[in-house]
Amino acid sequence: MPPNGSNASQCTPMDPMHPNAPQCAAAKRSRESAVPLPEETPVREVAPSGKRVGMRLVSWNVAGLRAWLRKGGLKWVQDAAPDVLCLQETKCGAESVPPEVRDLQALPHQYWASPEGKPGYSGVGLLCRCEPLRVTYGIDDPEHDPSARVLTAEFPSFFVVCAYVPNAGRGLTRLQPRLRFDAAFLSYLSRLDAIKPVALGGDLNVAHTELDLRHPSANRRSPGFTDEERRGMDAILAAGFLDAFRVMYPALPHAYTFWTYLGGARERNVGWRLDYFLISERLRPALCDCKIRPRVMGSDHCPVELYLAL
């Protein structure tokens, strides 16, 4: 779920999530210059350890699995051929997964979660080329686990966590539950990391720094860019995790993963970086690359890829 603006008294193209955006965008978009999408660069296939890529992971908020299929998202996944695919906002339960996805021969081990009593809301999926040692659902927290926002697959050398972090809501009405989730999620990740390294892929619903959204000054109290949510990301990184994309591209501007459908935001690259791969620090020697794919269509989010020498 994208962030939403909270100040209905203002009308400005600087905040594409603003509640008044439909009325504002047409009048003001011509005054806002477009910026280009980052140039595509070759994947770095060798890690600092000297080893070559051995595992490719993809994370994608599909904004509804059926809609994503209609928009051609599956074709890109088939061409990308990931070893692990993390999907968020699937909006369907396991029993409703379309056969085109269920029958993917390259990703036969599939795990799906949807909220209790809300099969068309939220939801995550984790699809694997090789069968994990174990798959768990949730974060061992009774407040948040019914929302079905986290799946974890254990492999011999690391954990893969697929997460769809809750949104703070229009007017920040759900900020406090969001912050409680952040605290519980960090505790969960730390417990995993004490066992073996972790690769977390998902829509974390926060733009961590000013570099991660087009108009930071207009969004200081917008969901996804509050100081409180950004401190939640700070806490994860301080606990021993790395933002894989920023390790590889620390100063790359205008690298976003979400664009509202309103006002031609994607064409003008007025976006937010909400989707991440975070990795345990001890996976740094295995990190070959992390790529954002803003030209890939299928959702209002784009896929993110992680390349590891494992």
Side-chain angles (χ1 to χ4, degrees), residues 42-299:
V43 173
R44 303 179 192 186
E45 297 187 348
V46 179
S49 65
K51 295 182 180 179
R52 298 186 65 82
V53 172
M55 179 161 283
R56 181 178 186 179
L57 298 87
V58 168
S59 180
W60 199 349
N61 179 322
V62 295
L65 197 60
R66 299 177 189 86
W68 174 78
L69 280 171
R70 291 194 300 271
K71 295 172 184 176
L74 181 62
K75 177 62 167 58
W76 183 86
V77 166
Q78 290 171 317
D79 291 342
D83 297 289
V84 178
L85 175 64
C86 300
L87 301 177
Q88 303 88 42
E89 204 175 354
T90 55
K91 298 184 179 181
C92 67
E95 70 285 351
S96 303
V97 173
E100 302 96 311
V101 178
R102 177 68 73 187
D103 297 338
L104 280 171
Q105 294 184 1
L107 296 167
H109 306 286
Q110 302 186 10
Y111 309 90
W112 304 93
S114 60
E116 296 176 6
K118 297 181 179 180
Y121 175 77
S122 186
V124 289
L126 201 157
L127 294 76
C128 309
R129 185 178 301 277
C130 299
E131 186 174 8
L133 300 175
R134 184 174 63 130
V135 173
T136 57
Y137 295 72
I139 59 174
D140 301 323
D141 187 282
E143 178 183 359
H144 305 292
D145 285 353
S147 298
R149 292 181 174 273
V150 178
L151 283 170
T152 302
E154 181 181 359
F155 292 96
S157 58
F158 73 135
F159 291 102
V160 175
V161 179
C162 171
Y164 180 33
V165 170
N167 182 271
R170 188 183 298 274
L172 302 178
T173 56
R174 297 192 298 275
L175 178 60
Q176 292 308 311
R178 158 65 189 265
L179 298 181
R180 291 195 298 272
F181 178 93
D182 286 352
F185 191 39
L186 174 55
S187 177
Y188 175 72
L189 294 174
S190 297
R191 294 196 302 272
L192 293 181
D193 188 53
I195 300 169
K196 61 177 68 172
V198 175
L200 161 63
D203 178 356
L204 304 190
N205 255 320
V206 62
H208 182 220
T209 72
E210 292 190 357
L211 195 60
D212 296 320
L213 72 166
R214 178 75 180 273
H215 295 298
S217 62
N219 288 284
R220 292 297 178 188
R221 292 305 292 170
S222 292
F225 198 60
T226 64
D227 290 343
E228 296 93 328
E229 293 165 294
R230 294 166 67 193
R231 284 196 292 266
M233 177 68 85
D234 289 340
I236 293 178
L237 301 182
F241 295 89
L242 303 172
D243 177 347
F245 181 78
R246 286 300 177 204
V247 169
M248 304 304 300
Y249 308 99
L252 183 67
H254 309 307
Y256 310 128
T257 66
F258 165 79
W259 306 260
T260 178
Y261 286 125
L262 301 173
R266 192 160 185 165
E267 290 78 5
R268 293 176 294 119
N269 199 19
V270 179
W272 298 57
R273 188 170 74 103
L274 302 178
D275 305 85
Y276 297 78
F277 271 107
L278 305 184
I279 61 172
S280 298
E281 285 186 356
R282 59 192 187 280
L283 283 179
R284 176 66 183 90
L287 175 60
C288 297
D289 212 338
C290 185
K291 294 290 191 182
I292 290 172
R293 300 300 187 186
R295 294 170 177 80
V296 176
M297 307 304 290
S299 168

